[in-house]
Amino acid sequence: MQCLWFRLVGSCVLVLSAGAQVNVLTYKYDNARTGQNLNEPLLSPANVNAVHFGRRFSHTVDGNLYGQPLYVAAVPVADGTLHNIVVVATAHDSVYAFDADDDLGPNSAPLWQTSFNSSSQGVTTVPWQDVNCAVIYPELGITGTPVIDLATYTVYLVAFTKEVSVNGTLRYVHRLHALDIRTGKELPASPVEIKASVPGIGDGGATVTFVPQSYKQRAALLLANGVVYTAWSSNCDNAPYHGWIIGYRADTLQQVAVYNTTPNSTGASFWGAGAGPASDANGNLFVVSANGDFDQMFYPPDLADSIMRLAPSAGLTVADYFTPYNQADLADLDLDLGSSGALLLPPEVGNDTHRNLLVVAGKEGRIYLVDRDKMGGFHGDEDAGALQTVGLNGQGVFGSAAYYSGNVYFSAGGDQLRALGIADASLTTAP
């Protein structure tokens, strides 16, 4: 059994041979988004070094990788042989499966490749100029990390395409695809076009409609209790836009959930530098919104720069939230709380009063420790709702924190990697 470092253009993934069976099926290993692998049989500080650990081989793919590569052991591919595979999706709207163990002989080529482009039918990726935003450059295709359901050998992902018909009609389309990881082929219900709308209270109660060209699917997908959730971001804060979470049944791809952060105003998208929504065992979603309007007087409220618990009942509804007291300043100064996703902590680091915790740190570089069961809402002059706030050096956190063995790990821009201990529902203030 040998440990491999398999480097792909634009991204890296660690994979193990068949005996280890350490699958990576979703962003940061689990729906709590902890980033911890509790089943690692080989790696240790003693053998991760220049002598024993390094790149084994690489493959070139057709576009940039913005999503995390995923790994599945012992997959029976189309010819009946078993392979440990790495699944990657590109901004050129392609999905690949590579053998994870070597690049020799037949494994020098992808086990399969599926593309959603068709130049003969006028279907291409979306140039960055078409959305007036070069954050994803030079093209937008698949940017969010896919998610894999091992029970059905299915990988779910969202592809963005520009489509010109024979009569010259132009459309921008996001589609949720479900592919068989053994073959790369679409499943019978796949794909479905992303569409959504919600009633608005403000502006005369006009319906708010999802406009494909206004959004990118940057956040990692989430599979929770049989539902695939997709989260949506603006392109460079080009108004008008909102934050959307749209859910589909994993088996039929029937739409079952739609949530909009600002049905009465604008802004508050979900991007998190690629971090995906988190969820607990009951299927509650924990999401963090970016800059925009905040008004808790509406029902439902407009919740920019907020941490939310969304209950899966009746689609998705706001069950609770926390908003920093200086939300208006965060929005004005482009200091999104939503540059990061929520990390759900295990119950053993809480206490009898605050058992279920989460942490978030956004562009301001401030950590918020929040009780998931009583999140605290909004207080206009202080962060009374948070259990604790801790300042970080640097230029803010992008992505999300990680947890392992009593420590929470943060990597802020312009700063060192920091580990803060956590116990009895309290973070150490010094690393």
Side-chain angles (χ1 to χ4, degrees), residues 156-386:
Y156 300 92
L157 57 106
V158 173
F160 190 21
T161 53
K162 177 181 181 179
E163 304 181 1
V164 181
S165 67
V166 292
N167 63 6
T169 302
L170 171 63
R171 298 178 67 222
Y172 295 92
V173 183
H174 296 277
R175 290 186 177 90
L176 175 63
H177 295 264
L179 306 183
D180 189 323
I181 62 172
R182 296 166 293 191
T183 64
K185 297 186 181 301
E186 299 265 13
L187 297 183
S190 178
V192 294
E193 186 173 342
I194 305 291
K195 298 179 180 181
S197 62
V198 295
I201 298 174
D203 297 327
T207 298
V208 181
T209 302
F210 180 87
V211 179
Q213 192 179 1
S214 298
Y215 297 96
K216 60 174 171 278
Q217 203 286 297
R218 181 68 188 95
L221 272 62
L222 170 72
L223 175 60
N225 290 6
V227 177
V228 178
Y229 292 99
T230 64
W232 297 88
S233 168
S234 68
N235 292 300
C236 288
D237 290 346
N238 295 328
Y241 68 91
H242 308 268
W244 296 84
I245 295 179
I246 308 172
Y248 297 83
R249 277 187 52 165
D251 54 353
T252 65
L253 299 192
Q254 175 188 0
Q255 189 180 99
V256 293
V258 176
Y259 170 69
N260 184 297
T261 51
T262 50
N264 319 294
S265 53
T266 188
S269 67
F270 298 107
W271 64 286
S279 71
D280 63 17
N282 296 320
N284 293 299
L285 271 61
F286 295 86
V287 293
V288 190
S289 60
N291 293 335
D293 293 335
F294 175 83
D295 193 332
Q296 60 183 341
M297 301 307 293
F298 285 114
Y299 183 80
D302 294 328
L303 293 176
D305 294 301
S306 298
I307 310 166
M308 288 159 267
R309 183 175 84 239
L310 302 180
S313 58
L316 284 174
T317 55
V318 178
D320 203 355
Y321 65 92
F322 167 80
T323 306
Y325 81 96
N326 60 340
Q327 184 278 327
D329 291 336
L330 297 181
D332 289 343
L333 298 173
D334 190 28
L335 293 175
D336 313 34
L337 183 62
S339 68
S340 181
L343 162 61
L344 309 189
L345 294 166
E348 57 264 26
V349 304
N351 57 29
D352 290 342
T353 305
H354 305 290
R355 181 62 58 192
N356 298 312
L357 308 173
L358 65 77
V359 290
V360 170
K363 281 187 187 178
E364 190 185 22
R366 178 164 296 279
I367 303 167
Y368 298 91
L369 179 66
V370 174
D371 186 328
R372 304 201 306 261
D373 299 325
K374 189 176 181 181
M375 299 181 70
F378 173 73
H379 300 266
D381 55 357
E382 60 179 347
D383 286 324

Side-chain angles (χ1 to χ4, degrees), residues 51-217:
V51 176
H52 299 107
F53 184 83
R55 186 179 75 180
R56 288 288 304 276
F57 55 90
S58 64
H59 288 290
T60 299
V61 293
D62 65 4
N64 291 328
L65 303 182
Y66 288 93
Q68 176 181 329
L70 302 175
Y71 170 76
V72 190
V75 175
V77 299
D79 65 3
T81 59
L82 291 179
H83 291 258
N84 303 322
I85 69 169
V86 175
V87 177
V88 296
T90 76
H92 197 65
D93 273 329
S94 287
V95 187
Y96 294 80
F98 292 102
D99 183 274
D101 298 316
D102 68 55
D103 63 342
L104 304 176
N107 293 336
S108 62
L111 298 170
W112 53 259
Q113 177 186 354
T114 299
S115 173
F116 304 114
N117 296 324
S118 175
S119 57
S120 64
Q121 297 181 21
V123 180
T124 65
T125 56
V126 178
W128 69 268
Q129 296 93 334
D130 286 25
V131 298
N132 193 29
C133 179
V135 169
I136 304 295
Y137 178 90
E139 60 186 348
L140 291 85
I142 305 167
T143 53
T145 299
V147 66
I148 292 175
D149 182 1
L150 188 57
T152 61
Y153 287 109
T154 304
V155 58
Y156 300 92
L157 57 106
V158 173
F160 190 21
T161 53
K162 177 181 181 179
E163 304 181 1
V164 181
S165 67
V166 292
N167 63 6
T169 302
L170 171 63
R171 298 178 67 222
Y172 295 92
V173 183
H174 296 277
R175 290 186 177 90
L176 175 63
H177 295 264
L179 306 183
D180 189 323
I181 62 172
R182 296 166 293 191
T183 64
K185 297 186 181 301
E186 299 265 13
L187 297 183
S190 178
V192 294
E193 186 173 342
I194 305 291
K195 298 179 180 181
S197 62
V198 295
I201 298 174
D203 297 327
T207 298
V208 181
T209 302
F210 180 87
V211 179
Q213 192 179 1
S214 298
Y215 297 96
K216 60 174 171 278
Q217 203 286 297

